[in-house]
Amino acid sequence: MTDTGAAKTLTQERSLWYYLGVGLSAAMLIIVVTLAVMIILIPKASGSIPLTVLTSSMEPGLPPGTLIIVRPIDPENIVIGTVVTYQIRSGEPDVITHRVMEINTSTDGSRSFIFKGDNNSDPDPDPVLPLQIKGDVWYSIPWVGWVNTAINGSNRPWIVPVVAAALFGYAGFTVVSAISSRRRRTPKSDGENGPLAE
């Protein structure tokens, strides 16, 4: 094989790896941006909260590690079958996400709800009052809940800036690499190469 042929083959191989790398980078960027929109922007804009499923009580639909987005709901709009997040005790942070199995209305018109986990054999022991309701499950993302748990609390102040800096750095590196690679591949004009041999 001539030097020209070897150089051409090497250039083609480099091009293949280059485009593969660019494709993977673009796919990763799209995934990260999509997750950021679904986990941060949409919940913030709608007043919803992201929570992580920690137990198997709602399997198979919501296994442990699933990230759920819980949006506010008027208790009057809750119907049997709605998956709702409620406070175990009113005013305290601990919550449960289960499905409404029964709605009771007292003589004075007030309502209470009976919940049950899809994977549980028995309903939750205590009726739930409207003031305990945090919201209903709007949508869920499998496995991402573990990431949400990791970056919450004391870890958030340093993890979020580090990840953001790494993503911006990677994006900058990709752009600079693409520009320099394009300049190297741009052919020079005949005048720059000197006179042509006949």
Side-chain angles (χ1 to χ4, degrees):
M1 182 182 290
T2 65
D3 290 344
T4 306
K8 186 175 181 182
T9 303
L10 184 60
T11 302
Q12 288 173 342
E13 288 176 1
R14 284 181 181 167
S15 296
L16 175 63
W17 286 111
Y18 169 77
Y19 288 116
L20 183 60
V22 169
L24 289 174
S25 298
M28 286 287 291
L29 186 60
I30 290 169
I31 290 170
V32 168
V33 170
T34 301
L35 286 175
V37 168
M38 296 181 72
I39 295 170
I40 300 169
L41 295 181
I42 292 177
K44 198 164 189 66
S46 63
S48 304
I49 53 172
L51 297 171
T52 302
V53 177
L54 300 176
T55 71
S56 59
S57 66
M58 285 298 289
E59 285 187 327
L62 299 173
T66 301
L67 183 78
I68 56 174
I69 305 301
V70 178
R71 63 180 171 182
I73 186 173
D74 186 337
E76 293 295 323
N77 294 331
I78 295 175
V79 297
I80 291 175
T82 305
V83 178
V84 171
T85 298
Y86 68 89
Q87 295 173 322
I88 299 173
R89 283 172 289 280
S90 179
E92 295 186 9
D94 295 336
V95 294
I96 293 177
T97 300
H98 280 171
R99 193 178 302 278
V100 177
M101 301 302 295
E102 185 180 328
I103 301 174
N104 299 315
T105 305
S106 63
T107 53
D108 63 0
S110 60
R111 307 174 93 199
S112 63
F113 306 91
I114 303 296
F115 288 88
K116 177 181 170 297
D118 292 351
N119 197 33
N120 293 348
S121 54
D122 298 316
D124 300 349
D126 300 316
V128 175
L129 301 176
L131 55 85
Q132 294 173 258
I133 302 295
K134 297 292 290 181
D136 66 331
V137 175
W138 187 8
Y139 59 88
S140 62
I141 309 171
W143 307 304
V144 179
W146 297 131
V147 178
N148 182 59
T149 300
I151 65 172
N152 274 328
S154 60
N155 293 322
R156 184 182 289 272
W158 68 268
I159 288 181
V160 171
V162 167
V163 171
L167 287 173
F168 279 116
Y170 181 70
F173 172 77
T174 303
V175 170
V176 170
S177 296
I179 291 171
S180 62
S181 178
R182 186 174 299 148
R183 283 184 179 166
R184 282 196 303 267
R185 290 199 309 269
T186 302
K188 295 180 179 179
S189 65
D190 293 341
E192 290 174 317
N193 287 327
L196 293 175
E198 293 183 359

